[in-house]
């Protein structure tokens, strides 16, 4: 457990967290949406610091990043939990589990920031990726790792839902080299219904990441009947082209039945092909089929 950053007291021992766009108002003894930040007697603490639920060595293309350190390997880490509640989550077994359960013991193995960096170097990785779950929920841990990684000549990567606040992005930006952000839909209703969130903060984060000079690639998981209409896909492609730049890569991924969407159908190859065409028609320079050979 470690005292959290980016929060303020608003009286009566109530705190407001400003790490992500939920900006949770947390009363004593309770946790935020992420379930890993808890108000203890009027101060906010994180339980996610120094714990990993997953550690792997991946090709950087798996993030997916196709235009950042191509053909290199990255040391991937995650902590348990998320600040979204997506029923279609492809990593639900580590992101949608209760990170804390009914106790104050956080899930995962203990590993210091220094140890994570040493592991990355030992395995010949050129970067460290905060991935699989939402890195914003273990922000303090990621920030300390990123600072050490920068000193040791490693790059750092966020694979994120983009729901962090501008304060969080600006704080980590000197130590963050690349992001792949999930733009899950271009519909606020979709975000509210399927993710328990809102669209606008994600769009704001994408624009700020670009402005801060962090390398950016965007991913959309295409789900039949949810976000695969022509209007949806055209909206995403136009936003990338107009607001982020036509050279920002767009990865279109195929949905496979998972978690609460286990009864849904696999996204047809034709839907992915349609999205690729829409991206090219919008003038995007790089549009990739993320997890399907076409």
């Amino acid at each position: 457990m470690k005292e959290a950053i980016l929060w303020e007291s608003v009286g009566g021992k109530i705190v407001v967290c400003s790490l992500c766009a939920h900006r949770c108002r947390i009363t004593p003894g309770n946790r935020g949406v992420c379930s890993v930040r808890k108000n203890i007697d009027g101060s906010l603490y994180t339980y996610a610091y120094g714990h990993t639920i997953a550690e792997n060595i991946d090709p950087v293309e798996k993030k997916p990043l196709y235009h950042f350190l191509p053909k290199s390997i990255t040391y991937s880490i995650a902590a348990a939990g998320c600040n979204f509640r997506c029923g279609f989550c492809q990593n639900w077994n580590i992101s949608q589990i209760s990170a804390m359960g009914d106790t104050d013991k956080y899930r995962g193995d203990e590993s210091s920031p220094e140890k994570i960096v040493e592991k990355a170097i030992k395995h010949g990785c050129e970067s460290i990726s905060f991935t699989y779950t939402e890195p914003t929920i273990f922000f303090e841990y990621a920030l300390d790792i990123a600072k050490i990684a920068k000193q040791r000549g490693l790059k750092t990567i966020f694979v994120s839902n983009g729901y962090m606040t501008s304060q969080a992005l600006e704080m980590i930006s000197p130590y963050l080299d690349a992001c792949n952000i999930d733009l899950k839909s271009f519909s606020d209703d979709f975000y509210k219904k399927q993710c328990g969130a809102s669209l606008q903060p994600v769009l704001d984060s994408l624009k700020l990441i670009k402005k801060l000079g962090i390398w950016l690639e965007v991913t959309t998981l295409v789900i039949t009947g949810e976000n695969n209409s022509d209007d949806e896909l055209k909206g995403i492609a136009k936003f990338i082209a107009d607001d982020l730049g036509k050279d920002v890569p767009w990865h279109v991924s195929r949905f496979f039945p998972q978690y609460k969407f286990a009864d849904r159908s696999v996204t047809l190859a034709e839907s992915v092909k349609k999205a690729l065409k829409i991206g090219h028609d919008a003038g995007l320079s790089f549009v990739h089929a993320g997890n399907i050979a076409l």
Side-chain angles (χ1 to χ4, degrees):
M1 183 174 67
K2 182 182 178 72
E3 185 166 357
I5 58 177
L6 294 174
W7 63 275
E8 63 176 334
S9 175
V10 293
K13 295 190 175 181
I14 297 170
V15 303
V16 173
C17 178
S18 53
L19 180 61
C20 90
H22 286 302
R23 296 190 182 273
C24 295
R25 183 182 176 92
I26 309 170
T27 53
N30 290 308
R31 303 186 185 111
V33 169
C34 64
S35 85
V36 304
R37 295 164 80 80
K38 184 176 181 179
N39 181 339
I40 300 177
D41 198 31
S43 294
L44 192 63
Y45 289 84
T46 172
Y47 285 85
Y49 193 93
H51 295 266
T52 61
I53 195 72
E55 295 183 35
N56 291 297
I57 299 165
D58 293 321
V60 75
E61 288 82 5
K62 188 179 177 182
K63 296 304 99 190
L65 288 169
Y66 284 8
H67 302 268
F68 182 81
L69 299 179
K71 298 183 179 180
S72 70
I73 55 174
T74 184
Y75 198 77
S76 298
I77 73 164
C82 191
N83 56 353
F84 275 18
R85 296 293 179 263
C86 305
F88 51 85
C89 182
Q90 303 290 284
N91 288 325
W92 64 271
N93 57 326
I94 57 174
S95 71
Q96 298 301 313
I97 59 172
S98 173
M100 302 294 298
D102 295 326
T103 71
D104 280 345
K105 182 172 174 56
Y106 190 73
R107 295 177 187 264
D109 299 321
E110 291 188 24
S111 194
S112 69
E114 293 82 4
K115 188 174 180 181
I116 293 295
V117 174
E118 288 298 333
K119 288 178 185 178
I121 293 170
K122 176 184 175 181
H123 290 290
C125 298
E126 293 185 36
S127 62
I128 296 174
S129 291
F130 308 104
T131 181
Y132 305 139
T133 63
E134 175 49 48
T136 305
I137 72 160
F138 56 99
F139 185 83
E140 292 86 353
Y141 189 33
L143 179 60
D144 283 354
I145 293 169
K147 288 178 178 179
I148 298 169
K150 180 71 73 175
Q151 294 171 354
R152 299 295 298 274
L154 297 178
K155 304 296 185 183
T156 55
I157 297 164
F158 257 36
V159 181
S160 170
N161 59 30
Y163 218 58
M164 66 284 282
T165 61
S166 59
Q167 296 100 306
L169 268 174
E170 287 165 358
M171 181 177 288
I172 202 169
S173 63
Y175 315 101
L176 187 61
D177 298 287
C179 288
N180 185 295
I181 302 296
D182 287 333
L183 182 49
K184 299 175 187 291
S185 167
F186 212 62
S187 162
D188 193 55
D189 287 342
F190 177 97
Y191 267 90
K192 285 185 166 63
K193 179 181 177 182
Q194 303 297 353
C195 310
S198 299
L199 170 63
Q200 191 59 51
V202 181
L203 302 182
D204 293 342
S205 288
L206 284 161
K207 289 187 280 189
L208 181 55
I209 289 166
K210 184 68 175 177
K211 181 180 178 181
L212 290 169
I214 300 166
W215 181 261
L216 176 62
E217 302 191 23
V218 178
T219 294
T220 301
L221 181 71
V222 177
I223 308 170
T224 302
E226 294 290 347
N227 65 350
N228 68 325
S229 69
D230 287 4
D231 286 346
E232 275 259 16
L233 296 171
K234 286 178 181 177
I236 292 172
K238 186 176 187 303
F239 170 78
I240 296 171
D242 292 352
D243 291 82
L244 306 180
K246 293 181 178 179
D247 288 338
V248 170
W250 185 29
H251 301 263
V252 182
S253 294
R254 191 182 192 190
F255 165 80
F256 290 90
Q258 291 281 353
Y259 193 38
K260 295 180 180 179
F261 278 40
D263 60 342
R264 303 294 186 96
S265 59
V266 176
T267 303
L268 297 175
E270 287 71 18
S271 287
V272 177
K273 289 179 182 177
K274 178 180 72 172
L276 296 181
K277 183 178 185 304
I278 286 171
H280 288 304
D281 289 348
L284 299 181
S285 301
F286 307 106
V287 189
H288 303 288
N291 56 359
I292 181 174
L294 294 175

